[in-house]
Amino acid sequence: MPTKQPNTKSPMTACDWPIEQLPGLSQEEQAKLQHCGIITTKQLIQQGKTAETRVNLANKLQVNLQYVNKWIALADLARIPGIGLEYCGLLLHSGIASVAQLAQTPTHRLHKQIMRLQVSTMRRRDLCPTIDVVQQWSQQAKQIT
């Protein structure tokens, strides 16, 4: 009779994307980031770990701090494999600004927020990710945080 192996999950690997693929960046903004040595989303997150470093980065890039905060939030959310670049903007516009916040937000409430956003902006309920997909994002966020 075979013995049952313990359920060991391999640790989830966070995604790292080329900076030019991050949604909402103009070519000029991409060039400024690359000029500062930031060519991936992981590097952007590392450069903006604290409020002070974000202010310094905004000054160095000569952009409003609000943009740096938005880019870092998008890069943070894009780390989740199930979210990636495809859904990071949707989550940000739904009120989720970090992986930590995603991990703490109840799935049903987040799904309602996303549905409300999709219906109000796109007039399309069918484009909303299913509650199962949102649950998967939440689980992945908890593994990465």
Side-chain angles (χ1 to χ4, degrees), residues 68-80:
V68 171
N69 288 334
K70 175 185 168 187
W71 301 335
I72 292 171
L74 288 168
D76 187 34
L77 291 168
R79 293 184 313 133
I80 306 292

Side-chain angles (χ1 to χ4, degrees), residues 2 5 19 21 26 39 46 56 80 84 87 90 94 96-97 103-104 128 133 135 144:
Q5 295 294 321
I19 202 69
Q21 291 183 4
S26 70
I39 58 170
Q46 289 171 339
N56 292 340
I80 306 292
Y87 292 112
L90 176 65
S94 297
I96 302 298
Q104 294 173 351
C128 184
V133 169
Q135 176 70 40
I144 283 183

Side-chain angles (χ1 to χ4, degrees), residues 46-58:
Q46 289 171 339
Q47 291 278 328
K49 281 217 181 277
T50 67
E52 184 181 345
T53 58
R54 288 177 186 207
V55 169
N56 292 340
L57 182 58

Side-chain angles (χ1 to χ4, degrees), residues 3-19:
T3 58
K4 190 172 183 177
Q5 295 294 321
N7 185 9
T8 56
K9 290 184 179 179
S10 59
M12 182 170 302
T13 305
C15 295
D16 187 16
W17 305 94
I19 202 69

